[in-house]
Amino acid sequence: MRHPALSLLRASLAGLALALASQGVLAQPLAVENVQVRAVPPVSTTTAAFMVLHNRGDSDRAVIDAHSSAAEITELHNHVDVDGVMQMRRVAEVAVPAGGRVELAPGGLHLMLIDLVAPLHEDDEVEITLVLDNDETLTLSAPVKRIEVMGGDMPGMDSGHGGGHQGHQGHQGH
């Protein structure tokens, strides 16, 4: 014999679970495309990751941190012109406006993977977790690809060392 209250409870719990699952999908408006990690020579200890971030939500979002098991340190960076010399600097966040997009690309914003734990080979997959300003995380699988920059290397960069980040130990305070 079925108890009507038990059937109602099961139906209510199923509806609640469905509502929570839907809310989880809707709560993550940040979409990522064209994610890739720059292939570097096996002796390199640093590399960079690039991607396009799309904010499909109606609230501004920001990436405030990142992690990867491929590197000891993962940092958000930007290129800045200092007295005519391009330098890379750590940034606190990468803001993505509501309804907007931000490109992390060579010569601009990018994600640095510093002190690689093992050499990366072309077509390897690197897991990267982005941490958002609302404490949500987004885990990506990024293929390692050869990335060519128009006109050769960017000014002030050493392509043999993941974009000029050799000797990076004292760089975290920027």
Side-chain angles (χ1 to χ4, degrees):
M1 189 152 126
R2 297 183 83 189
H3 195 282
L6 187 57
S7 295
L8 180 60
L9 178 61
R10 283 184 184 147
S12 296
L13 288 174
L16 179 62
L18 183 59
L20 288 174
S22 299
Q23 204 171 34
V25 170
L26 294 175
Q28 183 60 271
L30 199 64
V32 181
E33 62 184 36
N34 299 330
V35 61
Q36 52 192 309
V37 171
R38 172 177 269 158
V40 292
V43 296
S44 293
T45 59
T46 61
T47 190
F50 308 109
M51 64 198 73
V52 179
L53 305 170
H54 293 274
N55 183 349
R56 297 182 177 144
D58 55 5
S59 298
D60 293 346
R61 282 276 75 88
V63 177
I64 59 168
D65 201 2
H67 307 283
S68 177
S69 59
E72 295 291 329
I73 301 166
T74 307
E75 295 179 348
L76 303 165
H77 280 220
N78 197 4
H79 281 92
V80 293
D81 185 329
V82 178
D83 298 324
V85 178
M86 291 303 289
Q87 295 182 2
M88 291 175 233
R89 301 275 191 210
R90 184 176 185 185
V91 295
E93 65 179 36
V94 173
V96 188
R101 69 188 282 277
V102 173
E103 186 173 0
L104 279 65
L109 291 166
H110 58 283
L111 184 66
M112 283 305 303
L113 302 174
I114 303 164
D115 294 334
L116 296 173
V117 298
L120 298 177
H121 303 95
E122 202 166 342
D123 297 324
D124 283 352
E125 292 287 325
V126 174
E127 187 173 285
I128 298 170
T129 301
L130 304 178
V131 180
L132 306 181
D133 57 349
N134 62 354
D135 292 326
E136 291 182 16
T137 60
L138 186 58
T139 301
L140 318 166
S141 182
V144 176
K145 297 284 184 192
R146 175 173 279 190
I147 298 172
E148 300 296 329
V149 178
M150 282 183 41
D153 291 334
M154 291 179 283
M157 292 191 61
D158 176 359
S159 64
H161 291 283
H165 280 273
Q166 63 273 43
H168 212 284
Q169 293 80 5
H171 198 273
Q172 286 145 358
H174 294 301

